[in-house]
Amino acid sequence: MFSFFSHAKINLGLQVLSKREDNYHNLHSLFVEVNLSDKLVFKPANDFHLTLKGSTLTEMPLDETNLINQAYKLIKMAMKSVPTEYSIQVKKQIPIGRGLGGGSSNAATTLIALNQLWQLNLAVDELENMGKSLGADVPFFIRGGTQVVEGMGDLLSPVNPRSEEHTSE
């Protein structure tokens, strides 16, 4: 059994600059990862399946629309075969639909966890690119921390919260 924390985020100073042709918006914001988190528990299993435990159960689907399911299938496609499948239990604490990024964080955590558990050795940039296909906030959660977010959410510049300067990577 392997546990990973999937943190929420808050948007500070969110500016929606324009609507894009792909129905996303160009934005400028400062995203800050916060201590509120879901816990994803990975257990070796014969087949992948997703279960839920926690206080905000009523609105979270467990079907193909769930970003954890989508992230699992996406990273699995990067492998010829997997050494073991995993069941994932989500211990849900991040409220659903409140703009805290719980679903995106869960997807990013799934990518990070399976990269580690399956020993894929994918670079952070590769995980961010995978995450981008799942949703605009997913790349942020690959690195987490504090970041200036631009574009549709895919242009990230880490910020040292103790400094007024930020660097682009």
Side-chain angles (χ1 to χ4, degrees):
M1 184 166 56
F2 306 92
S3 298
F4 296 84
F5 289 97
S6 175
H7 294 279
K9 60 119 174 103
I10 55 172
N11 302 326
L12 299 178
L14 177 64
Q15 296 176 308
V16 177
L17 303 175
S18 62
K19 187 165 184 167
R20 299 161 48 112
E21 289 181 18
D22 59 7
N23 286 327
Y24 282 98
H25 290 88
N26 286 311
L27 54 93
H28 180 84
S29 187
L30 181 67
F31 284 5
V32 179
E33 188 176 42
V34 296
N35 210 17
L36 176 64
S37 62
D38 295 337
K39 184 177 182 182
L40 277 60
V41 179
F42 290 71
K43 295 180 185 174
N46 291 329
D47 293 305
F48 166 72
H49 63 276
L50 180 63
T51 58
L52 185 60
K53 180 179 179 179
S55 61
T56 56
L57 304 179
T58 58
E59 301 172 34
M60 185 174 162
L62 298 175
D63 62 11
E64 299 302 313
T65 62
N66 186 290
L67 288 176
I68 294 170
N69 285 326
Q70 294 174 28
Y72 192 99
K73 288 180 179 179
L74 181 65
I75 196 164
K76 186 176 175 181
M77 287 189 315
M79 300 196 56
K80 292 183 172 91
S81 66
V82 296
T84 186
E85 295 281 352
Y86 287 93
S87 66
I88 302 173
Q89 180 184 64
V90 180
K91 295 181 179 180
K92 194 76 181 147
Q93 296 297 315
I94 301 171
I96 295 170
R98 303 292 196 274
L100 298 172
S104 295
S105 178
N106 292 168
T109 300
T110 300
L111 294 175
I112 291 165
L114 291 173
N115 186 43
Q116 178 182 331
L117 294 170
W118 286 336
Q119 299 178 353
L120 295 175
N121 299 317
L122 296 172
V124 171
D125 292 345
E126 292 175 278
L127 292 173
E128 286 177 343
N129 283 332
M130 275 186 183
K132 189 179 358 178
S133 71
L134 297 170
D137 288 351
V138 177
F140 165 77
F141 286 108
I142 298 295
R143 292 181 202 252
T146 302
Q147 300 183 55
V148 172
V149 180
E150 297 177 294
M152 65 179 224
D154 58 332
L155 303 174
L156 303 168
S157 301
V159 173
N160 178 348
R162 293 186 171 98
S163 167
E164 291 185 21
E165 297 179 27
H166 66 88
T167 57
S168 296
E169 291 186 338

